[in-house]
């Protein structure tokens, strides 16, 4: 029986502007005919699926599986749906508003096979309207390990990581249904903790599109804020059960979740969560990835909370007046 080399999981919701470029870049990959593409429609309301079915007919030589959700279930549940039927030796997740290089799948597969890696990562381009930024958080010459991941020195993105399917099957790993922001932090914590071998490709193979309507470009909602907090709780619970020796490392994740809530939250969130996770404060100096701006805000929050709140207000003012990311009404809502 034919078995695909890679299962590519593609969630679809509200991406009619981008889905064609995404799928064509995948279907024209050098080893596309040896892979399977699992497209999960999360009850999208736009014309995304019409485009999907048209491309399915066009690329009839490729194994394309389409699953329809009867209700909108969120990104985590959508990826779980795709993962549940994945039959490839490896799997990877591709966001439906991004696109990839033609050798994306082949390069990752060959590297994984050559090194016998459970997780194989690549670098990527960050696409911002008319500008392209090369991102290199993965270095071929440096060791990739669980400790570095927990210290936030390795990003949790799933779209640049090929994972051995057997790894998640043996340990019954999946995304946390209902948590649709920072969901990759949770699943990557699980996969990195059980992986025995890591490898990477020091070239960019993925194009990550930064959309103006993305949540990271505006104020986070109450749901997003709750997702960050619940994601940290889920990771901490997982470590308590499976990796007790690393439980203290959750403080690095707490610092990064907190900075998202404070820097991109409403004024109400900034005041309410300024002192969130006090136990993580001793790790501010140890965290190599925090920007100077964030260090100052988190440090002043310890003994000079009024100063910290003032700095947050000034940063938000900058985003309102100069960047026009949101309005005063939204900020003070």
């Amino acid at each position: 029986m034919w078995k695909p080399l890679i299962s590519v999981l593609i969630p679809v919701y509200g991406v009619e502007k981008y889905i064609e470029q995404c799928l064509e870049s995948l279907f024209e990959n050098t080893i596309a005919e040896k892979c399977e593409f699992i497209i999960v429609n999360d009850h999208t309301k736009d014309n995304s699926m019409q485009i999907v079915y048209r491309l399915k007919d066009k690329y009839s030589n490729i194994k394309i599986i389409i699953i329809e959700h009867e209700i909108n279930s969120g990104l985590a549940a959508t990826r779980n749906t795709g993962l549940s039927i994945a039959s490839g030796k490896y799997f990877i997740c591709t966001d439906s508003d991004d696109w990839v290089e033609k050798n994306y799948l082949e390069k990752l597969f060959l590297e994984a096979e050559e090194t016998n890696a459970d997780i194989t990562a690549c670098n990527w381009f960050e696409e911002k309207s008319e500008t392209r930024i090369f991102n290199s958080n993965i270095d071929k010459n440096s060791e990739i390990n669980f400790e570095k991941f927990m210290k936030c020195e390795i990003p949790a993105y799933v779209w640049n990581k090929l994972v051995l399917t057997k790894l998640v099957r043996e340990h019954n790993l999946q995304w946390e249904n209902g948590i649709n922001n920072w969901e990759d932090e949770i699943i990557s914590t699980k996969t990195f903790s059980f992986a025995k071998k890591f490898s990477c490709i020091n070239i960019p193979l993925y194009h990550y599109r930064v959309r103006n309507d993305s949540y990271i470009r505006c104020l986070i909602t109450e749901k997003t804020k709750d997702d960050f907090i619940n994601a940290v709780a889920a990771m901490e619970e997982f470590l308590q059960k499976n990796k007790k020796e690393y439980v203290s490392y959750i403080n690095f994740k707490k610092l990064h979740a907190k900075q998202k809530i404070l820097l991109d939250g409403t004024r109400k969130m900034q005041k309410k969560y300024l002192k969130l996770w006090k136990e993580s404060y001793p790790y501010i100096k140890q965290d190599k990835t925090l920007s100077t701006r964030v260090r100052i805000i988190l440090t002043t929050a310890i003994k000079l909370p009024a100063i910290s709140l003032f700095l947050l207000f000034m940063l938000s003012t900058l985003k309102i007046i100069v960047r026009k990311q949101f309005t005063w009404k939204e900020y003070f809502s």
Side-chain angles (χ1 to χ4, degrees), residues 10-21:
I10 311 159
V12 174
Y13 184 82
V15 287
E16 63 181 1
K17 293 180 182 179
Y18 317 107
I19 187 67
E20 185 163 6
Q21 182 182 19

Side-chain angles (χ1 to χ4, degrees), residues 143-255:
E143 184 183 3
I144 301 175
N145 55 46
F146 185 56
E147 180 176 324
K148 281 191 173 184
F149 169 77
M150 288 305 301
K151 287 183 175 180
C152 302
E153 295 174 19
I154 297 172
Y157 307 130
V158 294
W159 35 254
N160 75 324
K161 296 178 182 68
L162 188 74
V163 181
L164 186 68
T165 306
K166 183 180 178 182
L167 180 71
V168 298
R169 295 277 194 267
E170 286 184 346
H171 299 284
N172 194 29
L173 307 181
Q174 62 175 13
W175 282 263
E176 294 281 337
N177 287 335
I179 300 179
N180 299 306
N181 294 287
W182 251 38
E183 75 288 343
D184 288 350
E185 288 283 351
I186 305 173
I187 189 67
S188 293
T189 296
K190 296 175 181 179
T191 54
F192 266 77
S193 71
F194 289 118
K196 297 178 180 178
K197 182 69 183 295
F198 304 90
S199 189
C200 63
I201 301 172
N202 214 15
I203 57 175
L205 297 173
Y206 193 91
H207 296 262
Y208 169 65
R209 189 193 306 270
V210 179
R211 292 162 52 182
N212 288 332
D213 58 345
S214 171
Y215 84 93
I216 63 173
R217 296 286 298 161
C218 57
L219 285 175
I220 62 173
T221 64
E222 284 290 324
K223 172 63 169 66
T224 302
K225 175 263 297 178
D226 289 342
D227 279 353
F228 288 145
I229 294 174
N230 291 333
V232 168
M235 287 186 279
E236 191 164 20
E237 180 182 2
F238 174 83
L239 293 174
Q240 288 283 3
K241 292 180 179 178
N242 301 278
K243 288 280 184 177
K244 285 190 176 181
E245 66 272 29
Y246 286 97
V247 169
S248 64
Y249 286 76
I250 195 63
N251 287 292
F252 291 97
K253 299 296 184 182
K254 287 178 178 178
L255 290 174

Side-chain angles (χ1 to χ4, degrees), residues 105-159:
L105 298 173
E106 183 176 13
K107 283 283 189 180
L108 285 168
F109 174 78
L110 292 177
E111 178 70 18
E113 290 288 285
E114 182 180 335
T115 61
N116 197 31
D118 296 320
I119 298 176
T120 306
C122 68
N123 287 314
W124 69 94
F125 288 116
E126 189 175 279
E127 305 286 349
K128 294 184 177 180
S129 59
E130 297 180 359
T131 62
R132 172 177 292 175
I133 302 172
F134 170 66
N135 274 280
S136 179
N137 289 74
I138 307 293
D139 186 350
K140 182 72 175 178
N141 298 318
S142 65
E143 184 183 3
I144 301 175
N145 55 46
F146 185 56
E147 180 176 324
K148 281 191 173 184
F149 169 77
M150 288 305 301
K151 287 183 175 180
C152 302
E153 295 174 19
I154 297 172
Y157 307 130
V158 294
W159 35 254

Side-chain angles (χ1 to χ4, degrees), residues 2 28 42 45 104 201 272 291 305 311 318:
W2 178 79
E28 293 179 6
D42 196 26
K45 297 177 181 179
Y104 167 67
I201 301 172
K272 185 175 181 179
S291 67
L311 293 173
L318 179 68

